[in-house]
Amino acid sequence: MSMKVIVGKGSCGIAAGAAKISDRLAVGIENSRIDCDVSVAGCIGMCYLEPIVDVIDNKGGKKTYVRIDAKAADEILKSLLGEPNEAEKYEILDEDSKNLRSQRRIALQNCGLIDPENINEYLAAYGYKAIEKCVTSMKPRQVIEEIKTSGLSGRGGAGFPTWFKWEAARNSPGDKKYVICNADEGDPGAFMDRAVLEGDPHALIEGMLIAAYAIGADEGVVYVRAEYPLAINRLETAMAQARETGILGKGIFGSSFSFDLRIKAGAGAFVCGEETALIASLEGERGMPRIKPPFPAQKGFWQKPSNINNVETYANVPWILREGGAAFAAMGTENSKGTKVFALTGKIKKGGLVEIPMGSTIKDVIYGVGGGIREDKTFKAVQMGGPSGGCIPAELIDTMIDYKTLAATGAIMGSGGMVVMDETTCMVDMARFFLDFTCKESCGKCVHCRIGTKRMLEILEHITKGEGKEGDIELLEDLGQQVKGGSLCGLGQTAPNPVLTTIKYFRNEYEDHINHKKCTAHQCKSLLTYEIDAGKCTGCTLCSRKCPTEAISGEVKKSHEIDREKCIQCGKCAEACHFAAVLVD
Amino acid sequence: MSEIRLNIDGREVSGFEGQTILDIARRNGIDIPTLCHDDRVKMYGSCGICVVEAEGNLKLLRSCSTYAANGMIINTGTERVRASRKTALELLLSDHTGDCRPPCVLACPAGTDCQGYVGLIANGEYKEALKLIKDQIPLPGSIGRICPHPCETACRRELVEEPISIAALKAFVADKDIQSGELHTADVAPDSGKSVAVIGGGPGGLAAAYFLRTMGHTVTVYDAMPHMGGMLRYGIPEYRLPKAYLQEEISAIESMGVTFQNNIKIGRDITLDYLRGSFDAVIVAIGAWASMALGCPGEGLSGVFGGIDFLRDVALNNPVFTGRRVVVVGGGNTAMDACRTLVRLGAEKVYNVYRRTKAEMPAEEIEISEAEEEGVIFKNLTNPIEVVGKDGKVAAVRLQIMELGEPDASGRRAPVAVLGKEETIEIDTIIVAIGQGVNSAGLDGVELTKWRTIATDDHTFRTNLDGVFAIGDATNNGADIAISAIGEAKKAAAMVNKFLAGEELSYTEPYLVKSEPTAEDFVDREKQPRTKMPHRCVNERRGDFLEINYGLSEDEARREANRCLECGCHDYFECKLIVYANQYVVKPERFGGDVHQRKAADDHPFIHRNPDKCILCGLCVRVCDEVVGATALGLVDRGFDTVVKPALDIELRDTDCISCGQCVDVCPTGARTETIMVAKQVPVRESITETVCSFCSVGCKTNLTSTGNMLLRSLPAGAKEKDALLCMKGRFGFGEISKKERLTTPLIRSGDGFKETTFEQAVVYTNKSLQSLHTRYGDDCVAVAVSDRYTNEEVFLIKEYANRALKTGRVFSFGRVNSGLVDVFGRDASTATMDELENTELIVVVAPELMRNHAVVGMKIKRAVNNGAKLLLLSTEKGLLNDAATLSLDVGVDMSVLRQIAKALINSSLGNETEGYDALVDSLKDISVSEEAGTATDLILRARKAVFVFEKNAVTAQGARLIADIAILSGHSDKPRNGVIQLLPGANSQGLSDLGIESGEDYFRAIVDGEIRGLFIFGEEVPGIDLGTLDFLAVQDLHMTDTAMQADVVFPASSFAEIRGSFTSADGKVQVVRPAVDPVAERDSFAQIIGLSAHAGEPMAYHSIDDVRRVIRTLPVSKPGSVRLAATEGNILRRFGHPNTNELYTSLMAFAQSRGLEKNG
């Protein structure tokens, strides 16, 4: 067995420089004529360690090197040649690898492990066994039954039981049906679908094949955002290979079942994650939601019964059919079965993708797999479910990850985005940030969403600028509830969540902003006051030279002063001061 | 569809599965508001106004797009529902810019529709303007003369150069009304059985009486003075408001049945208690008749008069001694009136004493400057500190010299005494006009304010006594301008009306959207100076009391009115948003924030878009796409900045827009408005007349809207029905017609030109001239031509006149060409209807310019295609139809494709029993069938049902015969949803054919050859024929056409919007034409023809159009080329008097069999 070097080349790895590392290793291996393959893999989830290189020796032993730069790559090359080297320095810490082991990986089972551009590696990992089993030995109804047993629910956000949608589509009359994959992952800070597309595209294809078989569809569309070029590229490659292998096309595995797939690149509107808007976009119309019913399962793409799931949902399906629905259902809680992938971002030490069984707590994720808060600051809150989600405060850190339990807090499971916040995060500003996003992404159809989110955003902007006034909180609450109730689709119905949950848990911060013109997290610049600590100031004059409004005065080598009237709270003085003499409050 | 039952607002109602909650509610008379729903388009659900609560459902449901389910319990008016609707409306209004009402209307204390009447005057609609004013002001001429016109102060034309002379325009139309001798008064409702006493016959009291009388109440006005008019009569001098004029306006109120009781003073002659006991309600409008005292030593001397007391005495012709030198104290209008009256009475020196400068004087600028011109000496910055007496009489006045200090509470700079500086003027009398107080004696028990005015509620006008209301100068803040009292009178009358009905009295300030443009917004406006009111020169006027102003001339008035900037929203009277905003008592201020300022788009000749008024309901986009099929509009951008416009920023005119105006009709706000073809667009309530479009033979129903005699718009009738469509000509075309100068009187040739004449003379001249030709040239030397735009009734009368009076059988139409269908079907008529067209399987079109000539048929075809029909287009038409066509091929100049299709049909059939078949086969023997024609034939043969559409004037008779042949050969001629539709150029082309009017083609030669010596042309332009061969030509037409220019006598015709009658559409529907406006000429077409015939010794026994119709209906059915009008119920009448269409087919098939097929080749 020859040696093998695997470079993690998901978008995260490439962003960290994996392409250059990969080239350097390939050139080095080529030049030194070692018998060693260079291969790629998708994201393993530990984005904070990228670029990551695995070396598999000729006995099958594996070593993982992390945070690889040119020098590290050279050390790895030396180790391959058997020369003295310092590669050991770059080996993954036990603590990190333990984290990987502590996860339960189903949707991400192959991500970061196999070469996504090589169907054989997928096949070697029991790929396409599940669809083969379905078409050769199961009736569609049995497939749906298995999914029902598994308790799998939609991982895109709403958490609707998957079997129910499949059955509805199956039972809708019609010769022509469609299977559609929503790969329009639009939440800021969520990238689990991208990881699957880039790291294990065949899992999606297989999941869609099984769904198509179950509902009686022969055509599928993957609606991917055009901002995911690598994902599109790898999915295209995978589709081509699957076609070549006879897995996509007519008479799959010798059965009468036929299915093929195409990709539709979407122009990236958040609202196109809503299934009716997605269908409108697929049909070449403006991406705007329409009223349900009829549901897509009744009248979907081109008015035909259509099943829409997201990438993660489909990626779970092959495992379930291979291992049995019961095995999936054995994991999780009463309401939420199986595992869930989360994208950990924000003030977290070990940012990246994690997949854990349902029923774990938020604390397990943040302080377990996530390694805790960066710089060991105090955990303040976590935003779950992206802009549609809500904020869960520190006191609820023991909340179980479960659709119902999370919803009870005002947050949602959503697609699995977790943005971790510490003491330096201003909750008002955070709410403003997410609302700014949904406000811009509103399709403009519903009055409440189009103008309501805009007016809420304006109020938040006023508050963060110190122009908040009494009654603003109540107006936000009232308008927030009206927007939720008055909007047609999920975007508007959830857009106020970040605002409403932050008001619910951090009302005092809002009140500080409005009544005392104070931002305790020191994030809202307009509310900050700058003062020079006479004891610390050395009179170096640097601050007064940086000040754009000449608000700082003072003689050389004597303590300086800031004129509050002239100060525009730009913070340049505090940044410039070498002696921490500028006090910000 | 199974029936379902649900409970809405406590009522058990039923509907059917598949109906929405909104639909079922509406069908059961329960109104649910919505801004974005229209039954003709797919569910959308954007506005969120139609939400309702359903029991057991946590979320509010959009009733427009939620299917009702059996057993649902719906509540449409809960707090939560109302709150949600209110929020939606407030959010919409927080980004809705414009002016619901113009600033002039908002500034008028009486809310007079200034923009409305100014606009009507600009269009020459003086009577309508007057009516509009009289909705608010019963004394328009008097008020127009004396009102300090807050409307003009508010007028935005000021931002361009100067305000519109609104008050002068009001007086202008009031003068016209008085000159007409029939003063307009509002309609009086039936007797209510209630009575109201009004105390005080001034502007407020008279107005209250007027409005209460219109409500049907018995009203008696009591006044202490000998005549009604109050301050208008006794406070305003004659030279500003002639009393005879005022009396005319007052008499008009009396003529409505208001009882006037003069010389009766409350408290002296009659008590309030008596009135309260004798009437159901009392309105106190006693005014402020007490002059304020000067408040300095000497004011008790003889020769000190109150300003209004002085004016009243002058008005009553009481002897007043003023002497030669008089001081008038005060800076208001009363002071100016006193000064100028004194000048006219001959005083040598009239001083005006006022403690501030002229700039601060409350009097109107024109009053001050005119007074100055007349010689009044202004002693500004002086204040009387003592009236010096001699022998108990006034001898002099000591004046304190003042200067202006810091601004006081009123914002004006306060006058401050300059210590030690004084002036003394020797005078004979002093008139004090520094304010008016209320004399409330006799109003026992009525609560007063601390200023001794009557205390009333600002909005309900109630006093402390039940059933006693008070208005005007006598109340609360005291004296104000007359129009304020009138405004209060109207509002109080409404309150009294409610009180009399036993209703709760309450008032809510109406919500209106307002904007505040600056001069910047009008920089591109051309400057047009304000028309100065012409008035008498100073030397002439200062010696008498004749009216100063001459009033505006008609030209001046129209020019002035045309300066109006049209600030108020043109959609105000149709806007749904403002109706709901007031129903839900919105407060959009709570959502203040960014407001869009986008450029309104004028990228279309008829359709104006204002995105700042758009609420993005999407109706225009959806109707254009789903109903019209043009898809000219789309939603662009996202979120808050979403906007409706054509894709890719092209101009609307460059899209597939067919100018049907549907987008304007569905717009719930003023975001889309149409260009109205009148001088001045003006938002006013419009009358609606349902009639038939006159532009082509499709026979679209249209609602003509009008104000007075001004046609405003033509809208598709039955806007809620899917087939309610008009094309550009139908929707906007009539404006083009009315643009040209209409003929209003008969004209007789005089040398090279024409001179106006009477109808009698024109009739004599015409009949005698034609008669003389008859004697010279014998029978049939005279012919009559009639246009296909004339109604069946007119055509019938004209034919009768020709046959009987002119003794000629030669009645034809230049616009009518020889028929092809008649040779096949035996009748020159369509065999299928437009309704069938929309429900057939295949439509075959031979009409190269269908979208131009008959766009609505094009849209119907497009719709049929959307519903699954196939389209075979046998002509090259670009755009919409081409896109919709299943197969499109060029028919060829010689109709070769039609021949090939006929041949292919023969080839594929097993023969045909119809007579003439063999001859047809023979005629086509040399034709070879191309592949394209073969494909087309396959389409025709495969369709179970097919309708053939062609334009008669675009296809030769030969072509028409071929089309009919193809229909018969393919089996598509004689069954429901099959047949041929022949589209014709004129609204009544089919009627001409049915009434036996011959084709003009055969008569061209007869005219050129001089066989015809005399011709009477009704409404036709005759291009390309030399009419110089005629000895006599009479023409009747709307305008002075080129043909009319050649005539010896010209009669004015009536347009379709002015007459009663009927048109027969291309598919044989006889539809009623109704008049929307009065004929412009003294005699309409009907009267003219009756007159012509009677003079020629053949009197007709028709007294009305209905008489004519009755006769047409009795014409024998079997007679070919005759028509029978059936029932008059509804708008659609069918030929043959049979509602059963099979009759039509059977008869037509019989014709086809009897006539056989045409020989070709």
Side-chain angles (χ1 to χ4, degrees), chain A residues 159-448:
Chain A
F160 206 73
T162 304
W163 73 270
F164 191 89
K165 283 168 94 165
W166 288 21
E167 187 158 274
R170 166 148 200 91
N171 290 340
S172 285
D175 306 338
K176 182 78 188 175
K177 295 178 185 179
Y178 292 97
V179 173
I180 294 165
C181 174
N182 181 353
D184 191 55
E185 194 168 48
D187 286 6
F191 45 91
M192 40 291 224
D193 290 349
R194 189 188 70 200
V196 173
L197 291 167
E198 291 176 357
D200 195 12
H202 288 287
L204 170 64
I205 297 173
E206 189 174 5
M208 290 182 74
L209 273 162
I210 294 168
Y213 178 70
I215 71 162
D218 64 352
E219 199 177 328
V221 188
V222 184
Y223 187 87
V224 199
R225 46 181 40 227
E227 293 96 321
Y228 282 179
L230 183 63
I232 292 173
N233 194 297
R234 290 209 175 129
L235 183 59
E236 269 171 352
T237 308
M239 280 159 49
Q241 290 175 356
R243 260 181 224 120
E244 243 168 64
T245 323
I247 288 169
L248 282 178
K250 287 199 177 7
I252 295 164
F253 288 109
S255 70
S256 60
F257 172 59
S258 301
F259 181 75
D260 209 342
L261 197 59
R262 63 188 174 84
I263 294 173
K264 161 82 188 175
F270 183 58
V271 75
C272 288
E274 204 284 339
E275 46 185 19
T276 58
L278 186 151
I279 289 171
S281 176
L282 275 183
E283 291 175 354
E285 300 283 326
R286 177 180 169 90
M288 283 207 300
R290 62 154 173 82
I291 289 161
K292 293 188 278 191
F295 292 95
Q298 301 161 298
K299 282 186 178 181
F301 188 39
W302 300 127
Q303 299 292 305
K304 304 293 180 198
S306 308
N307 178 68
I308 304 183
N309 289 122
N310 88 327
V311 177
E312 188 186 336
T313 315
Y314 283 126
N316 276 305
V317 169
W319 191 95
I320 292 169
L321 268 297
R322 224 166 44 229
E323 308 289 331
F328 192 81
M331 294 174 286
T333 67
E334 198 191 333
N335 305 306
S336 310
K337 304 294 185 191
T339 59
K340 177 76 192 91
V341 184
F342 288 98
L344 266 178
T345 54
K347 306 291 177 63
I348 188 93
K349 279 185 181 162
K350 297 178 179 176
L353 286 180
V354 300
E355 184 171 357
I356 46 142
M358 296 281 190
S360 314
T361 64
I362 291 172
K363 192 175 183 178
D364 292 340
V365 180
I366 293 174
Y367 282 96
V369 193
I373 306 301
R374 242 187 252 168
E375 297 172 33
D376 289 323
K377 286 193 171 147
T378 313
F379 169 62
K380 186 171 185 178
V382 57
Q383 171 74 17
M384 295 205 50
S388 308
C391 198
I392 295 178
E395 63 261 30
L396 297 180
I397 195 166
D398 290 320
T399 304
M400 207 164 64
I401 290 170
D402 169 287
Y403 284 102
K404 263 194 172 166
T405 325
L406 283 175
T409 67
I412 57 167
M413 180 87 73
S415 59
M418 280 176 98
V419 183
V420 179
M421 290 162 267
D422 66 11
E423 61 205 86
T424 64
T425 313
C426 168
M427 301 313 285
V428 184
D429 190 52
M430 201 278 304
R432 186 202 56 77
F433 169 80
F434 280 114
L435 197 65
D436 183 53
F437 178 82
T438 36
C439 183
K440 283 180 182 144
E441 291 292 339
S442 163
C443 79
K445 182 173 179 177
C446 299
V447 175
H448 287 89

Side-chain angles (χ1 to χ4, degrees), chain A residues 267-271 285-286 288-294 439-452 454-455 458-459 462 475 478-479 482-488 493, chain B residues 43-48 51 59-60 62 64-67 80 83-85 87-89 91-95 590-595 614-616 625 635-642:
Chain A
F270 183 58
V271 75
E285 300 283 326
R286 177 180 169 90
M288 283 207 300
R290 62 154 173 82
I291 289 161
K292 293 188 278 191
C439 183
K440 283 180 182 144
E441 291 292 339
S442 163
C443 79
K445 182 173 179 177
C446 299
V447 175
H448 287 89
C449 176
R450 179 179 77 240
I451 312 178
K454 167 77 177 168
R455 297 299 178 229
E458 285 169 344
I459 297 169
H462 285 146
L475 187 57
D478 177 33
L479 189 50
Q482 295 284 0
V483 170
K484 280 169 78 91
S487 302
L488 207 60
Q493 285 167 2
Chain B
M43 292 173 181
Y44 192 65
S46 73
C47 74
V51 289
K59 285 184 177 175
L60 293 176
R62 281 166 151 77
C64 72
S65 44
T66 308
Y67 290 110
R80 197 168 149 226
S84 183
R85 291 179 186 166
T87 303
L89 290 165
L91 287 170
L92 283 175
L93 290 163
S94 73
D95 185 35
R590 69 189 187 117
F591 296 135
D594 288 353
V595 177
C614 176
I615 59 165
L616 289 174
D625 181 28
L635 293 161
V636 179
D637 289 340
R638 234 185 256 174
F640 187 63
D641 294 326
T642 310

